[in-house]
Amino acid sequence: MNGHALLSASGAHKWLKCTPSARLEETLPEGTSEYAEEGRLAHEIAELKLRKQFIEPMGMRTFNSRLKKLQANPLYKDEMLHHTDAYLEYVSSITHSFTSPPYVAVEKQLDFSEYVPEGFGTGDCIIIHGDTLHVIDFKYGKGVPVSAEMNPQMQLYALGACAAYSFLYPIANVKLAIVQPRVGEPSEWELPASDLLAWGESVKPVARKAFAGEGDYVSGDHCRFCRARALCRARAEFNTALEEYHQMKPPLISNEEVGAILVRAQNLAKWVKDLEDYALSECLKGNEMPGWKAVEGRSSRQYVDQDEAFKLLIASGIDEALLYQRVPLTLPKVEELLGRKTYTELLVNTGHVKTEPGKPTLAPISDKREAISRTSATEDFGS
Ligand code: SF4
């Protein structure tokens, strides 16, 4: 089982909703990004730490030399050590919660092909104790918080783990957790194994359709992770369907219509960005994009060698104090520097951090935060 599965667990949120997307993506080149590479490196550091702790106890010399190799990667940042520590601490807190040592597997290849044709993937960490299976995923991204609740990727991993271990362990409960330290506390979700297996059965016909490339193209939030996101006709038609609102009567649109337009407008903004990225890459390749061309962006000035430049300025009589600004780090930066645990101990628990409520902001109804309302006349729209 090498390479990528056509119907990957990580892509399930996409092919479960838009069944022909996996076959369409197959026809398009796979891209990567600096964020993806950064995430891969953080995963390798996390894996090393978990292996040392649970799988292959190793001396500090071996550990440090392996870590050093990873740190030589140009994408390495010191904060990766804090964030991977937070993941290690979470996994350790689970293993220590039992009265006897649990079974632990790290970077375990999981086969869920009983439910999804040729489906397999790699689970970051599997823990089994008694009748409970834990599936834990480490996510390094901070742009999009990922919830464990009803998460298809996690459920497919759990199905793979049930298939692999049910002969050895009487798995009755399944606990899923996503540790995304740059976003906040781990997201957890628990369900009976029977519910998970029932979900697996419900997925089978959809997965068969997706494997065959059949079904309707369905556009939505999941499109932004699709390789076809810029050129997909279904997405284009969905987004340009905004025009149908021109027909609206009476002259003022209703709150229902405002809500519906805003949902579409969010997708529209992401789609336009994907089109811009695609058009720029085509122009840079020398391909024609009618009405558009690639140009140099705004230039920026940079020191050739800042140390040498400052030496010259100081030697010319400029006071060194004028050349530097002492700026305090923001709390998120301090947390990044210290790691969540130390930050909480030193600043939060000692009363040095206060939390002011944020400005009211519009969010989709699916947002987990509680809805607020203000009735005072001074808060009214337009005041
Ligand atoms: S862009 Fe969206 S609608 Fe088009 S194939 Fe991908 S997931 Fe489906």
Side-chain angles (χ1 to χ4, degrees), residues 14 18 21 24 217-219 222-223 226 228-229 232 234-235:
K14 200 169 41 193
C18 176
S21 62
L24 181 63
Y217 288 97
V218 178
S219 179
H222 51 276
C223 292
C226 180
R229 61 185 175 272
C232 172
R235 193 182 185 205

Side-chain angles (χ1 to χ4, degrees), residues 2 25 30 97 113 117 125 130 196 199 255 332 346:
N2 290 321
E25 282 193 282
E30 196 176 351
S97 66
S113 57
C125 181
L196 175 74
W199 179 82
N255 281 3
L346 292 182

Side-chain angles (χ1 to χ4, degrees), residues 60-136:
M60 278 318 282
R61 255 177 88 165
T62 311
F63 174 77
N64 285 336
S65 111
R66 290 195 195 173
L67 181 62
K68 221 169 149 185
K69 276 192 195 140
L70 296 172
Q71 287 173 314
N73 187 315
L75 293 175
Y76 170 79
K77 292 193 189 98
D78 281 342
E79 63 178 283
M80 285 180 181
L81 295 181
H82 296 311
H83 297 313
T84 49
D85 273 351
Y87 170 55
L88 176 65
E89 275 168 29
Y90 180 78
V91 174
S92 301
S93 72
I94 290 174
T95 59
H96 292 148
S97 66
F98 307 121
T99 47
S100 55
Y103 167 82
V104 181
V106 172
E107 291 295 308
K108 172 79 182 159
Q109 185 133 107
L110 299 164
D111 181 340
F112 47 86
S113 57
E114 197 183 325
Y115 301 90
V116 172
E118 299 180 7
F120 68 91
T122 306
D124 290 341
C125 181
I126 302 290
I127 300 173
I128 307 176
H129 189 270
D131 63 359
T132 302
L133 162 74
H134 293 257
V135 179
I136 306 166

